[in-house]
Amino acid sequence: MEEWRGWRKIRYESELDPAFASEIASIPQGEKLFSCIQCGTCSGMCPISPYMDYTPRQIIAMIRAGFKGDVLGSYTTWLCASCYSCAVECPKDIKLTDIMYAAKRLAIREGIYPKRFPIPVLANEFYKNVEGSGRNSEGRLILRLFLKTNPFKLFKQTSLGLKLLMRGRFSLKRESIKRTDELHRMLKVLEKVHMVKSKDELARMKEVAS
Amino acid sequence: MNYAYYPGCSLKSTGRAYEESMLSVFEALEIPIEELSDWNCCGATAYMSISELKAFALSARNFALAEQQFKGSNDVNLVVPCAACYLGLNKARRYLAEHLEIKETVDGALKQAGLHYSGHVHIRHPLDVLLNDIGLEKITAAVKKPLTGLRVACYYGCQIVRPYAEFDNQHEPQSMDKILTALGAEVIEWPLKTRCCGGSLTGTVQEVGLRLSYILLKEAKKRGCDVVATACPLCQFNLECYQSEMLKSYGEVINVPVAYFTQLIGVGLGLSSKNLGLNRLFTPLKMPHPVKAVQGGQRVHS
Amino acid sequence: MSDNKSEEKRFEPKIVAFFCNWCTYTAADLAGTARMTYSPNVRVVRIMCSGRLDPQFVLAALRDGADGVLIGGCHPGDCHYQEGNYKAIRRFRLLKKLLKSMGIDDARVRLEWIAASEGDKVQKVINEMTETVRKLGPLDLEPKAWKLIRKTQIELPKAPQIALGGVS
Amino acid sequence: MSTVKGSSNGAPKIGVYICHCGINISSKVDVFKTVEFAKNLPNVTVSREYKFMCSDPGQELIQKDLRAGLIDRVVVASCSPLMHEATFRRAVAGADHNPFLFQMANIREHVSWVTFDKEAGTEKAMALVAAAVKRISLHIPLERTRVSVHPDVLIVGGGISGIHAALTLADSGKKVYLVEQEPTIGGHMAKFDKTFPTLDCAACILTPKMSAVRANPNITLWTYSEVVGVEGFVGNFKIKVKRKPRYIDESLCVGCYDCIDACIFKKGNVNDEFNVGLSKRKPIYIPFPQATPLVAVIDDKSCLEFKTKKCKKFCVDACERKAINLNQTEEIKEIEVGAIILATGFKTFDAHCVPRYGYGKYPNIYTSLEVERMVNASGPSGGEVVLKNGEPPKTVGIVHCVGSRDNHTNKYCSRVCCMYSLKLAHLIRERTHAEVYNFYIDMRTPGKGYEEFYEKLLNENVHFIRGRVAEISDWTLTPEEEGKLVIRAEDTLIGTVRRIPVDMVVLSVGMEARSDADDVRRLFNISCSKEGWFLERHPKLAPVSTFTDGVYLAGACQGPKDIPDCVAQAGAAAAEAMALIDRGYVELEPNTAFINDELCSGCKTCIGLCPFSAISFDNIKKIAAINGALCKGCGTCVAACPSGALQQNLFTDEQIFSEIKGVMSYV
């Protein structure tokens, strides 16, 4: 049990972001999160929820209530392995996995995420990896990940590395597509665009607004 | 029907055995298949957590290339063995089809690369192709060394049946069971067929990832399987390569071979272990001896 | 509320709807009670049964300035009067032919089966219909069509109906 | 605000009355602007607005103007005619004017409630008012025709609702036909053990009513029968009932069980419907000891004689009263009734449809209905709650909302599950002292003594976990889970996922419309809601009426209900039927078709079209003739008449043409 760090559980309205919910809801079918009845099926289905700081159900509640900082800063969204078991069993068809993604992207964009937590680091590395060469060089990725988070872990993994090496399943060679320039031009266009809002969503927001 | 093959990054490194075995099986069954040239990362999971739109664009490039390379046929069947890629590409395909606004943005990006995607690509998993295009008869007929007596735990993992149950039942997938049964294997009944193996967590937050894989193997072993059959490079990696770690963490010897379903098919078709990349397995695949040859590989199910 | 800012200038089609009393009109009431907002371009004329729909009514509506006509009846097999909606569908087919011959895009008339419980379908259909007709733009009848439609009053719509007498 | 202007003699004087309906209309329609607009329409002499036109003062406004001779025709722009047309027609008649010189413009359901911006709403409202005004000038005075009402009543379905309705009507001296498709009446209630929240025994309160049905001379009870034909209209329905052969002469059988004991099958060999498959019955059987009528029935699908023709037919010899007649054939009864009450009930949700709950896959997972039988002293286990191995369970999990509140199955809440789950929790604990866990999403106990019952259970150390069960399976993580069923759910009040090992699971399945609901509704010409429940005429003001006059609803066929609600509704339906019958006549809408003899060419087009054969051919005049009593006023013939000789009252071509012109008069 962690020692008591004098944290304050109460949240004042002034600390909440009322726009947060609609921001997340603006992904395709995101509006469904508003019909959540807090039944907890998602958390129950989720194989990882036991290790999350907030259960998936709580994340939805927090999104609705505008607990932006808490959601974006949480480990939950990053721990999600996107196995989609929550999404397929949700009685209200809430695409929770996609909502987790939306939260992750927002967290990255706004720089609010557990900094030394390996998962966002991996994501970033993977991203750079692919942006550069169009493919992911697994060997290098793992290497970078450990260097960035926990170099010591690297040694623990050497035996595994060797085993893989011997079986020709591991290399530090840089994988790449041929026409990288083409790829770069393509991705550059999308630099600015973060989240595409669906038409019906725009309509919905307009109605809510008025 | 001819197939385009999308390997994805893993099948070129940790999952090489998957590629080798699948291609040899396709060859043995005379299924024409050709690798997509200059394919790029599908933009799955990790990438999607940074930019969904770019992820879609990455997939779209692959689609565009596929349409280019297979101009002849108006519909391209893109065979995607890796579960993550399968879902990533499938998701992109759907979003591009269902959300005009996304399609438009992505089209714009493709144009920059002088590419165009007109929506004629189908994402197919080898399980789907083998069961629904080729069919059990053809497979059964080709069996040389039936897997008689081999008790297999079919493990589908999450991403080939969820969220889009395209070719199999989301809750009780059967495709792999059917195929391996047809090869004479005995598939065991177990409830964790589609429970997550931990995905990339084994690499990032090991204590969690390890636990998830351990739960699967523990249950599979308890139900007395000789081998766990997988359909995803990451699942295979997690379940196989961390068994020594599990011993350390949970003091339990697992020692269960974890093979790709394509490798098992290959064995049944009597292909050489080299062509199936069996030599790449950590725990060698032991066949129950002696393997009785049975006509057509069919075997009364017990 | 379909589209964004540039609403001011856009064309607002005039659409007349003929709803049967028992299914579609009731469904429209239901849409109301459920507060399902939809585009205001459609004006409903209540008839007891879609079987009462005389093709003349449709032509009259177009002549009097409607850009489109929507017809709503009970699902096949659900007609309050057993089979009025079957009569309606037959007349509708002939009507579409007739309109084509008059150079009127037959997407301007639409027949829908909407049950009393399908308030949401009323909303959907009316919105779709409005969009379709908006895309088609205002109906300006070619002179020949005009002549026809005037005459129609007496002869033309009757023509298909005589054919009908036999069918049922 | 109001305007009165004189009118040139002879021309119709139209009064227009625009309703605010509180703010229901005025929030989206500029009422005053509309009044101004109406004032300037041709022949409008009076144009007023009022907060609530349907209120007495509102109606008096109209009547005053009529009496004062300011107007002779009335247009009210308010809610839907299906809501208040009758009201205003009565008002007009009350002022000694013909009620059909009235027209309604629906500016609430069709305008204010569905329109987003007020300007558009106002414009639409004006168009509809204009249409009504144009049309009303062409209205002519009409008379309603009266048709006498047949005094008998048909009740379909012999569950608690049908039974109660039948007894109520019979006690008032009405003759009732009670038709039930099963061999006995009693329905679902007969299967229950105790009833919540009072825990009185279902049989003890139901069986007296069942025998009362049997004993009542006013009730004709036809079990093992189905309605196969419905013709006619309110007050005068012609019904065809199919009586399936039960191969036993009801008048002779005394329910002595001798035939059943004698049956060649020593043990039951067919799934017992009454015990929902938990036990077996013989091909010849009596559903349960209190069955009404207490008459055996032979199920020809499983009877050896019917399958092979080679049975020794011990049953026939065993019956002293020679009641068994294997040559009995199906029989069609034709009856006439004035009113119909549908009480066809519901079916329980099929738990197989939720695979992750493992029903049918693991033993010891039961549906609530199966457990109802299990805890019932007359049930397959004699009231013992036992596992498949005969042992009593030590831990039991009760899963709420199975097949309810779920987009993949049924969106709605089934209303009864929380309460019966509590009841079963109590009974199971009482019988086995097992630890009982309730998994619920929300605990819904709105009813007399319901919340109190919940509290009682809280105090009986029953465990309550607020969380929808994610999965039930037999894979284990800890030693104590070995050999048990593990229920996984988030305890949402604690925010932690829990795995609870149990011996037995009870799936609290919801209520669904019967699979034959759609055929039934077609047969009786009524509507269904999306979920398949029979649609009431108005959710609040006409909950037991349907859109088809003379057809009423009782019980769970209209939506999920518990016993008290079913009984209450059955009473209401009976009262509605009584009101109709005791009035003795119905007034038919005069919207019938009529022929202009001069114009009729005698082409006979119309004759084939009329579904009610109301049109015949007059061989002397060589023209068509309409029987007003048979005409239902659909207008199909009118639309088809090539010579325009046919017209429909209230819907003449001219009236409709003018209405079209009206709605097109956009401002």
Side-chain angles (χ1 to χ4, degrees):
Chain A
M1 189 60 222
E2 281 171 284
E3 70 181 70
W4 186 74
R5 286 207 236 85
W7 51 45
R8 167 165 68 78
K9 270 277 181 223
I10 188 173
R11 283 280 179 284
Y12 299 107
E13 287 308 285
S14 55
E15 298 173 291
L16 306 182
D17 177 350
F20 185 42
S22 39
E23 191 169 7
I24 295 290
S26 66
I27 62 170
Q29 297 190 51
E31 74 283 353
K32 289 193 168 145
L33 78 87
F34 291 110
S35 42
C36 175
I37 55 171
Q38 290 289 301
C39 66
T41 310
C42 42
S43 316
M45 290 305 299
C46 179
I48 301 160
S49 53
Y51 310 94
M52 294 173 165
D53 44 357
Y54 303 107
T55 63
R57 171 192 57 86
Q58 288 172 317
I59 289 290
I60 299 269
M62 289 159 78
I63 291 174
R64 292 197 60 153
F67 284 49
K68 185 171 186 176
D70 309 65
V71 171
L72 298 192
S74 77
Y75 296 97
T76 297
T77 50
W78 293 103
L79 280 165
C80 169
S82 45
C83 77
Y84 290 86
S85 42
C86 51
V88 299
E89 298 301 354
C90 173
K92 300 294 171 187
D93 290 321
I94 301 169
K95 307 288 175 235
L96 194 40
T97 319
D98 297 343
I99 288 174
M100 294 286 188
Y101 273 121
K104 286 185 248 187
R105 291 193 295 269
L106 210 55
I108 292 282
R109 211 162 77 223
E110 312 216 342
I112 326 169
Y113 59 89
K115 284 289 176 309
R116 301 212 47 74
F117 196 47
I119 305 174
V121 178
L122 175 83
N124 268 320
E125 288 308 316
F126 187 100
Y127 179 75
K128 290 204 207 106
N129 216 323
V130 174
E131 289 269 282
S133 66
R135 286 187 196 174
N136 166 34
S137 325
E138 285 184 336
R140 294 162 154 260
L141 180 66
I142 299 295
L143 202 61
R144 280 235 202 70
L145 174 66
F146 288 143
L147 290 173
K148 284 219 165 190
T149 53
N150 179 350
F152 167 71
K153 219 168 171 186
L154 197 51
F155 301 107
K156 281 177 56 196
Q157 299 292 340
T158 38
S159 65
L160 173 56
L162 287 173
K163 277 200 202 150
L164 289 167
L165 208 54
M166 289 184 321
R167 291 169 173 75
R169 291 169 65 173
F170 182 82
S171 88
L172 291 175
K173 178 168 150 291
R174 181 168 180 281
E175 300 287 336
S176 173
I177 62 169
K178 294 191 212 67
R179 313 202 296 269
T180 42
D181 52 328
E182 162 181 310
L183 180 82
H184 294 148
R185 263 183 279 123
M186 188 176 91
L187 295 179
K188 197 160 181 319
V189 191
L190 302 172
E191 259 333 311
K192 297 287 151 288
V193 211
H194 292 299
M195 213 186 280
V196 177
K197 295 180 170 31
S198 64
K199 280 221 167 53
D200 36 341
E201 173 50 24
L202 285 167
R204 201 190 62 79
M205 286 166 74
K206 257 179 65 196
E207 277 207 28
V208 173
S210 51
Chain B
M1 184 163 8
N2 66 343
Y3 298 91
Y5 166 47
Y6 177 87
C9 307
S10 302
L11 270 77
K12 294 294 179 186
S13 58
T14 47
R16 281 176 69 175
Y18 196 0
E19 173 170 79
E20 291 158 348
S21 53
M22 186 195 80
L23 291 179
S24 353
V25 165
F26 270 51
E27 191 183 1
L29 294 171
E30 293 150 347
I31 310 168
I33 186 161
E34 181 186 327
E35 182 168 331
L36 178 64
S37 58
D38 206 40
W39 57 269
N40 58 262
C41 165
C42 65
T45 331
Y47 194 100
M48 191 156 281
S49 348
I50 310 289
S51 166
E52 184 178 50
L53 203 57
K54 284 188 177 180
F56 291 153
L58 286 172
S59 296
R61 178 173 182 270
N62 291 317
F63 300 159
L65 294 180
E67 285 183 346
Q68 242 175 28
Q69 187 172 341
F70 297 82
K71 268 189 229 66
S73 47
N74 43 7
D75 272 19
V76 188
N77 280 279
L78 198 57
V79 178
V80 186
C82 167
C85 302
Y86 176 78
L87 172 59
L89 294 170
N90 214 338
K91 188 172 183 179
R93 196 185 117 268
R94 282 166 175 265
Y95 274 63
L96 291 173
E98 289 163 16
H99 303 284
L100 198 74
E101 54 284 1
I102 294 180
K103 177 87 162 67
E104 284 160 356
T105 335
V106 171
D107 283 347
L110 283 177
K111 202 183 254 98
Q112 293 302 310
L115 290 168
H116 174 69
Y117 166 52
S118 48
H120 292 310
V121 174
H122 300 286
I123 314 301
R124 308 289 304 277
H125 192 273
L127 276 173
D128 179 12
V129 174
L130 289 173
L131 184 65
N132 301 322
D133 293 4
I134 307 312
L136 292 180
E137 286 91 29
K138 189 147 190 268
I139 297 172
T140 334
V143 173
K144 301 244 169 25
K145 288 159 70 192
L147 307 175
T148 316
L150 186 69
R151 293 172 58 82
V152 188
C154 296
Y155 177 62
Y156 296 76
C158 18
Q159 300 192 324
I160 56 177
V161 283
R162 284 193 304 261
Y164 316 116
E166 292 249 303
F167 63 92
D168 208 337
N169 180 314
Q170 226 163 32
H171 308 277
E172 280 290 329
Q174 285 302 325
S175 45
M176 199 191 298
D177 298 62
K178 284 186 192 145
I179 295 175
L180 294 181
T181 315
L183 283 145
E186 180 185 336
V187 298
I188 64 163
E189 176 53 43
W190 73 315
L192 300 181
K193 282 179 173 181
T194 65
R195 195 176 196 267
C196 176
C197 69
S200 54
L201 288 174
T202 30
T204 50
V205 191
Q206 214 193 55
E207 43 282 49
V208 177
L210 199 60
R211 172 83 180 166
L212 267 66
S213 306
Y214 165 68
I215 289 173
L216 295 175
L217 289 169
K218 184 170 183 267
E219 191 64 26
K221 192 173 178 196
K222 194 165 95 194
R223 295 177 186 245
C225 75
D226 305 323
V227 56
V228 176
T230 64
C232 163
L234 192 50
C235 299
Q236 197 277 342
F237 183 76
N238 284 340
L239 293 182
E240 180 186 42
C241 305
Y242 288 92
Q243 294 190 6
S244 51
E245 288 290 330
M246 291 174 197
L247 178 58
K248 282 201 212 97
S249 312
Y250 308 108
E252 188 171 335
V253 187
I254 300 290
N255 197 19
V256 173
V258 182
Y260 294 105
F261 77 100
T262 42
Q263 290 179 302
L264 295 182
I265 298 177
V267 174
L269 301 183
L271 307 179
S272 81
S273 70
K274 188 172 176 322
N275 293 351
L276 298 174
L278 291 176
N279 52 328
R280 303 188 189 276
L281 295 181
F282 278 33
T283 327
L285 174 64
K286 287 183 260 49
M287 291 304 290
H289 289 299
V291 175
K292 308 177 238 56
V294 179
Q295 296 79 343
Q298 271 307 355
R299 172 183 187 284
V300 200
H301 199 51
S302 55
Chain C
M1 302 296 96
S2 56
D3 239 301
N4 37 37
K5 288 124 237 81
S6 64
E7 271 174 24
E8 297 76 19
K9 296 270 169 297
R10 72 177 185 170
F11 162 59
E12 289 300 343
K14 307 183 179 67
I15 298 166
V16 175
F18 298 94
F19 285 174
C20 89
N21 178 71
W22 300 99
C23 292
T24 314
Y25 194 89
T26 316
D29 280 2
L30 180 62
T33 358
R35 310 294 199 280
M36 301 174 176
T37 50
Y38 52 75
S39 81
N41 304 54
V42 173
R43 280 50 171 142
V44 178
V45 173
R46 180 170 67 125
I47 48 183
M48 290 312 284
C49 173
S50 51
R52 173 67 180 97
L53 187 94
D54 184 331
Q56 272 195 76
F57 300 161
V58 177
L59 298 164
L62 297 174
R63 187 191 54 239
D64 297 345
D67 304 297
V69 174
L70 173 61
I71 302 154
C74 308
H75 286 271
D78 289 4
C79 177
H80 188 79
Y81 305 101
Q82 291 173 21
E83 53 199 24
N85 48 3
Y86 290 111
K87 313 286 190 331
I89 183 82
R90 293 208 201 91
R91 287 182 194 133
F92 184 71
R93 293 211 193 91
L94 293 157
L95 176 68
K96 268 179 168 275
K97 284 207 197 73
L98 172 65
L99 291 174
K100 272 220 186 66
S101 72
M102 295 167 60
I104 298 174
D105 187 324
D106 67 353
R108 288 185 185 275
V109 294
R110 176 168 173 178
L111 173 65
E112 278 291 342
W113 306 136
I114 304 179
S117 58
E118 298 179 312
D120 49 347
K121 190 170 178 187
V122 171
Q123 178 188 40
K124 184 171 147 295
V125 169
I126 288 187
N127 283 336
E128 285 174 6
M129 180 80 182
T130 314
E131 283 320 304
T132 323
V133 180
R134 178 171 286 130
K135 283 199 186 65
L136 289 172
L139 167 69
D140 49 2
L141 293 165
E142 308 152 20
K144 77 163 186 11
W146 252 115
K147 272 201 227 72
L148 272 170
I149 238 180
R150 278 224 198 63
K151 292 212 260 94
T152 333
Q153 270 287 28
I154 333 89
E155 302 124 32
L156 256 170
K158 299 305 183 186
Q161 287 171 356
I162 295 170
L164 269 170
V167 199
S168 56
Chain D
M1 172 193 122
S2 74
T3 341
V4 180
K5 56 179 191 191
S7 92
S8 52
N9 292 358
K13 293 176 287 177
I14 303 169
V16 179
Y17 301 82
I18 320 273
C19 181
H20 293 252
C21 194
I23 60 161
N24 281 309
I25 291 173
S26 51
S27 61
K28 291 292 187 196
V29 172
D30 185 330
V31 171
F32 298 103
K33 204 168 158 211
T34 316
V35 169
E36 271 306 310
F37 164 80
K39 173 176 75 184
N40 303 319
L41 293 169
N43 300 328
V44 172
T45 52
V46 175
S47 176
R48 306 183 193 277
E49 44 71 39
Y50 189 70
K51 262 256 164 291
F52 292 100
M53 279 312 295
C54 57
S55 67
D56 286 354
Q59 298 184 39
E60 279 153 18
L61 266 181
I62 302 174
Q63 295 178 320
K64 258 185 36 260
D65 294 341
L66 282 166
R67 294 213 177 84
L70 296 171
I71 58 169
D72 52 21
R73 286 150 202 271
V74 179
V75 169
V76 174
S78 56
C79 48
S80 167
L82 304 182
M83 181 86 186
H84 271 314
E85 190 172 52
T87 316
F88 292 114
R89 278 181 177 171
R90 247 180 275 117
V92 173
D96 314 319
H97 277 67
N98 185 286
F100 298 99
L101 298 176
F102 164 80
Q103 178 69 17
M104 224 169 157
N106 183 350
I107 63 168
R108 189 178 75 172
E109 283 82 349
H110 286 199
V111 181
S112 64
W113 277 352
V114 293
T115 311
F116 190 68
D117 103 333
K118 189 164 181 175
E119 211 172 299
T122 311
E123 187 190 310
K124 188 174 177 185
M126 290 178 180
L128 295 183
V129 169
V133 167
K134 273 205 178 338
R135 171 190 227 286
I136 191 77
S137 329
L138 300 168
H139 280 214
I140 54 162
L142 297 166
E143 291 309 321
R144 286 203 183 86
T145 48
R146 284 190 174 189
V147 183
S148 65
V149 171
H150 193 290
D152 299 352
V153 181
L154 166 71
I155 298 177
V156 188
I160 179 60
S161 306
I163 290 174
H164 185 76
L167 289 172
T168 314
L169 283 160
D171 291 349
S172 77
K174 304 284 177 290
K175 197 167 177 333
V176 177
Y177 299 91
L178 179 57
V179 176
E180 164 61 51
Q181 66 175 191
E182 298 300 321
T184 173
I185 56 172
H188 279 96
M189 184 175 173
K191 296 189 168 87
F192 303 159
D193 180 41
K194 302 274 187 289
T195 57
F196 64 76
T198 46
L199 293 178
D200 40 3
C201 126
C204 315
I205 53 178
L206 179 63
T207 38
K209 282 171 108 41
M210 287 164 67
S211 23
V213 167
R214 188 80 181 121
N216 194 311
N218 285 336
I219 300 178
T220 310
L221 174 59
W222 284 336
T223 55
Y224 215 48
S225 308
E226 287 165 21
V227 175
V228 291
V230 178
E231 279 179 14
F233 55 97
V234 54
N236 300 272
F237 293 104
K238 290 182 181 43
I239 309 292
K240 280 198 182 68
V241 179
K242 179 175 89 189
R243 302 214 61 198
K244 295 176 276 183
R246 67 197 294 158
Y247 307 106
I248 310 278
D249 185 329
E250 272 187 52
S251 57
L252 296 175
C253 176
V254 290
C256 65
Y257 281 79
D258 289 352
C259 53
I260 299 170
D261 300 337
C263 178
I264 187 127
F265 294 104
K266 287 286 148 273
K267 281 208 194 57
N269 62 334
V270 187
N271 276 344
D272 181 338
E273 297 84 357
F274 186 70
N275 282 332
V276 286
L278 291 181
S279 68
K280 302 279 185 192
R281 62 156 171 83
K282 296 181 177 181
I284 183 167
Y285 67 106
I286 293 176
F288 58 101
Q290 300 79 18
T292 307
L294 191 61
V295 172
V297 55
I298 294 176
D299 160 16
D300 50 19
K301 270 164 236 61
S302 53
C303 171
L304 193 60
E305 173 61 11
F306 285 92
K307 281 183 3 201
T308 65
K309 290 267 163 243
K310 289 199 193 62
C311 183
K312 298 211 175 60
K313 293 179 247 164
F314 294 139
C315 53
V316 179
D317 314 337
C319 182
E320 283 175 11
R321 300 174 54 87
K322 300 280 162 272
I324 300 182
N325 168 11
L326 296 172
N327 306 324
Q328 210 177 61
T329 53
E330 110 178 7
E331 186 184 359
I332 299 289
K333 298 269 190 188
E334 301 202 359
I335 56 174
E336 290 194 13
V337 298
I340 300 170
I341 295 177
L342 294 178
T344 50
F346 67 99
K347 78 177 200 310
T348 52
F349 173 76
D350 174 7
H352 290 98
C353 303
V354 187
R356 60 182 203 289
Y357 286 169
Y359 180 73
K361 182 174 172 196
Y362 305 115
N364 300 319
I365 297 188
Y366 297 94
T367 68
S368 40
L369 197 55
E370 289 166 346
V371 177
E372 286 283 357
R373 290 312 299 150
M374 220 189 262
V375 294
N376 190 306
S378 71
S381 59
E384 292 302 310
V385 178
V386 286
L387 303 168
K388 289 272 188 298
N389 64 8
E391 295 290 309
K394 289 187 191 55
T395 46
V396 178
I398 300 181
V399 183
H400 293 219
C401 300
V402 179
S404 303
R405 303 187 68 189
D406 177 355
N407 290 4
H408 309 125
T409 57
N410 298 314
K411 286 187 175 204
Y412 53 85
C413 162
S414 290
R415 277 187 77 214
V416 295
C417 319
C418 281
M419 284 310 292
Y420 78 58
S421 299
L422 291 172
K423 175 192 74 183
L424 291 175
H426 169 85
L427 294 176
I428 291 170
R429 206 157 159 63
E430 183 182 73
R431 303 272 206 290
T432 64
H433 308 293
E435 289 298 314
V436 179
Y437 294 82
N438 273 270
F439 298 84
Y440 67 97
I441 306 177
D442 297 297
M443 190 58 71
R444 295 183 170 176
T445 59
K448 239 184 183 177
Y450 290 11
E451 183 65 15
E452 295 83 335
F453 190 69
Y454 176 29
E455 188 179 345
K456 171 181 156 72
L457 267 284
L458 286 166
N459 288 291
E460 289 178 359
N461 317 332
V462 172
H463 306 271
F464 288 93
I465 296 176
R466 192 205 171 277
R468 183 166 174 268
V469 169
E471 202 167 48
I472 301 170
S473 69
D474 64 351
W475 63 276
T476 56
L477 288 177
T478 64
E480 63 272 20
E481 287 179 357
E482 290 301 331
K484 302 237 176 188
L485 291 163
V486 180
I487 299 180
R488 209 167 74 246
E490 179 186 17
D491 188 325
T492 60
L493 299 179
I494 299 171
T496 308
V497 174
R498 296 175 63 177
R499 291 173 56 93
I500 294 174
V502 298
D503 303 314
M504 176 190 270
V505 173
V506 181
L507 301 178
S508 297
V509 289
M511 294 166 103
E512 277 184 340
R514 293 175 48 93
S515 12
D516 62 5
D518 201 52
D519 311 336
V520 175
R521 103 184 148 72
R522 287 202 171 155
L523 188 59
F524 291 92
N525 201 338
I526 61 170
S527 310
C528 271
S529 72
K530 276 221 155 0
E531 303 76 20
W533 305 110
F534 295 156
L535 197 65
E536 65 278 9
R537 190 176 198 117
H538 189 280
K540 295 168 192 61
L541 302 180
V544 298
S545 312
T546 67
F547 285 101
T548 302
D549 293 336
V551 179
Y552 306 101
L553 304 174
C557 61
Q558 179 261 350
K561 256 176 222 64
D562 59 9
I563 295 167
D565 288 5
C566 286
V567 172
Q569 225 191 13
E576 296 273 359
M578 246 181 267
L580 171 67
I581 291 166
D582 289 352
R583 198 199 307 128
Y585 64 85
V586 283
E587 283 186 324
L588 303 181
E589 273 288 294
N591 60 10
T592 48
F594 61 93
I595 296 189
N596 178 335
D597 293 4
E598 283 66 49
L599 293 179
C600 179
S601 63
C603 72
K604 297 187 183 168
T605 303
C606 52
I607 295 173
L609 286 177
C610 181
F612 311 103
S613 22
I615 315 179
S616 55
F617 190 70
D618 181 332
N619 279 313
I620 300 106
K621 294 206 203 138
K622 294 273 175 278
I623 57 170
I626 292 186
N627 173 344
L630 291 178
C631 174
K632 300 259 199 331
C634 62
T636 307
C637 55
V638 184
C641 178
S643 52
L646 273 163
Q647 283 303 332
Q648 179 184 13
N649 284 318
L650 291 173
F651 294 92
T652 63
D653 288 348
E654 289 61 33
Q655 284 165 349
I656 293 173
F657 281 132
S658 62
E659 194 172 347
I660 295 168
K661 273 203 169 45
V663 291
M664 292 314 302
S665 60
Y666 286 66
V667 280

